[in-house]
mmCIF file of all heavy atoms in Angstrom:
data_model
loop_
_atom_site.group_PDB
_atom_site.id
_atom_site.type_symbol
_atom_site.label_atom_id
_atom_site.label_comp_id
_atom_site.label_asym_id
_atom_site.label_seq_id
_atom_site.Cartn_x
_atom_site.Cartn_y
_atom_site.Cartn_z
ATOM 1 N N LYS H 101 -7.472 -21.434 -26.443
ATOM 2 C CA LYS H 101 -6.787 -21.669 -27.801
ATOM 3 C C LYS H 101 -5.501 -22.448 -27.589
ATOM 4 O O LYS H 101 -5.104 -23.172 -28.442
ATOM 5 C CB LYS H 101 -6.453 -20.309 -28.425
ATOM 6 C CG LYS H 101 -7.743 -19.724 -29.133
ATOM 7 C CD LYS H 101 -7.296 -18.827 -30.332
ATOM 8 C CE LYS H 101 -8.459 -18.026 -30.867
ATOM 9 N NZ LYS H 101 -8.804 -16.849 -30.020
ATOM 10 N N GLU H 102 -4.889 -22.256 -26.411
ATOM 11 C CA GLU H 102 -3.601 -23.052 -26.131
ATOM 12 C C GLU H 102 -3.877 -24.368 -25.502
ATOM 13 O O GLU H 102 -2.991 -25.009 -25.040
ATOM 14 C CB GLU H 102 -2.761 -22.095 -25.198
ATOM 15 C CG GLU H 102 -2.331 -20.750 -25.747
ATOM 16 C CD GLU H 102 -1.393 -20.901 -26.935
ATOM 17 O OE1 GLU H 102 -0.686 -21.971 -27.045
ATOM 18 O OE2 GLU H 102 -1.374 -19.975 -27.710
ATOM 19 N N GLY H 103 -5.148 -24.724 -25.553
ATOM 20 C CA GLY H 103 -5.562 -26.061 -25.015
ATOM 21 C C GLY H 103 -5.466 -26.114 -23.481
ATOM 22 O O GLY H 103 -5.405 -27.198 -22.892
ATOM 23 N N ILE H 104 -5.476 -24.926 -22.830
ATOM 24 C CA ILE H 104 -5.481 -24.906 -21.371
ATOM 25 C C ILE H 104 -6.942 -25.027 -20.833
ATOM 26 O O ILE H 104 -7.829 -24.426 -21.353
ATOM 27 C CB ILE H 104 -4.819 -23.581 -20.866
ATOM 28 C CG1 ILE H 104 -3.343 -23.573 -21.312
ATOM 29 C CG2 ILE H 104 -4.992 -23.473 -19.342
ATOM 30 C CD1 ILE H 104 -2.708 -22.213 -21.161
ATOM 31 N N GLU H 105 -7.085 -25.891 -19.830
ATOM 32 C CA GLU H 105 -8.408 -25.990 -19.203
ATOM 33 C C GLU H 105 -8.636 -24.789 -18.356
ATOM 34 O O GLU H 105 -7.786 -24.450 -17.496
ATOM 35 C CB GLU H 105 -8.429 -27.300 -18.378
ATOM 36 C CG GLU H 105 -9.831 -27.597 -17.835
ATOM 37 C CD GLU H 105 -9.811 -28.893 -16.985
ATOM 38 O OE1 GLU H 105 -8.830 -29.661 -17.053
ATOM 39 O OE2 GLU H 105 -10.837 -29.142 -16.305
ATOM 40 N N VAL H 106 -9.743 -24.141 -18.484
ATOM 41 C CA VAL H 106 -10.058 -22.873 -17.825
ATOM 42 C C VAL H 106 -11.292 -22.997 -16.930
ATOM 43 O O VAL H 106 -12.291 -23.567 -17.301
ATOM 44 C CB VAL H 106 -10.259 -21.662 -18.810
ATOM 45 C CG1 VAL H 106 -10.485 -20.368 -17.998
ATOM 46 C CG2 VAL H 106 -9.038 -21.585 -19.744
ATOM 47 N N ARG H 107 -11.186 -22.445 -15.726
ATOM 48 C CA ARG H 107 -12.323 -22.270 -14.872
ATOM 49 C C ARG H 107 -12.491 -20.766 -14.585
ATOM 50 O O ARG H 107 -11.606 -20.147 -14.098
ATOM 51 C CB ARG H 107 -12.148 -23.016 -13.497
ATOM 52 C CG ARG H 107 -12.631 -24.400 -13.522
ATOM 53 C CD ARG H 107 -12.711 -24.924 -12.056
ATOM 54 N NE ARG H 107 -12.608 -26.422 -12.107
ATOM 55 C CZ ARG H 107 -12.501 -27.193 -11.001
ATOM 56 N NH1 ARG H 107 -12.344 -26.517 -9.839
ATOM 57 N NH2 ARG H 107 -12.466 -28.482 -11.086
ATOM 58 N N ILE H 108 -13.663 -20.287 -14.857
ATOM 59 C CA ILE H 108 -13.992 -18.810 -14.509
ATOM 60 C C ILE H 108 -14.701 -18.850 -13.179
ATOM 61 O O ILE H 108 -15.651 -19.517 -12.942
ATOM 62 C CB ILE H 108 -14.882 -18.224 -15.527
ATOM 63 C CG1 ILE H 108 -14.257 -18.342 -16.978
ATOM 64 C CG2 ILE H 108 -15.071 -16.749 -15.277
ATOM 65 C CD1 ILE H 108 -15.166 -17.849 -18.066
ATOM 66 N N VAL H 109 -14.063 -18.098 -12.229
ATOM 67 C CA VAL H 109 -14.605 -18.093 -10.827
ATOM 68 C C VAL H 109 -14.904 -16.666 -10.447
ATOM 69 O O VAL H 109 -14.035 -15.792 -10.565
ATOM 70 C CB VAL H 109 -13.540 -18.664 -9.906
ATOM 71 C CG1 VAL H 109 -14.073 -18.746 -8.462
ATOM 72 C CG2 VAL H 109 -13.113 -20.083 -10.357
ATOM 73 N N LYS H 110 -16.167 -16.430 -9.989
ATOM 74 C CA LYS H 110 -16.524 -15.146 -9.457
ATOM 75 C C LYS H 110 -15.752 -14.868 -8.208
ATOM 76 O O LYS H 110 -15.608 -15.788 -7.405
ATOM 77 C CB LYS H 110 -18.006 -14.989 -9.294
ATOM 78 C CG LYS H 110 -18.776 -14.729 -10.549
ATOM 79 C CD LYS H 110 -19.632 -13.439 -10.383
ATOM 80 C CE LYS H 110 -19.882 -12.804 -11.753
ATOM 81 N NZ LYS H 110 -18.909 -11.743 -12.067
ATOM 82 N N ARG H 111 -15.333 -13.676 -8.007
ATOM 83 C CA ARG H 111 -14.588 -13.289 -6.820
ATOM 84 C C ARG H 111 -15.120 -13.928 -5.505
ATOM 85 O O ARG H 111 -14.377 -14.501 -4.703
ATOM 86 C CB ARG H 111 -14.627 -11.750 -6.728
ATOM 87 C CG ARG H 111 -13.999 -11.201 -5.501
ATOM 88 C CD ARG H 111 -14.169 -9.685 -5.465
ATOM 89 N NE ARG H 111 -13.639 -9.239 -4.128
ATOM 90 C CZ ARG H 111 -12.684 -8.324 -3.998
ATOM 91 N NH1 ARG H 111 -12.192 -7.737 -5.067
ATOM 92 N NH2 ARG H 111 -12.207 -8.030 -2.812
#
Side-chain angles (χ1 to χ4, degrees):
Chain H
K101 281 208 188 78
E102 299 293 337
I104 296 168
E105 188 180 347
V106 181
R107 268 192 202 172
I108 305 174
V109 183
K110 280 237 154 265
R111 177 184 174 124

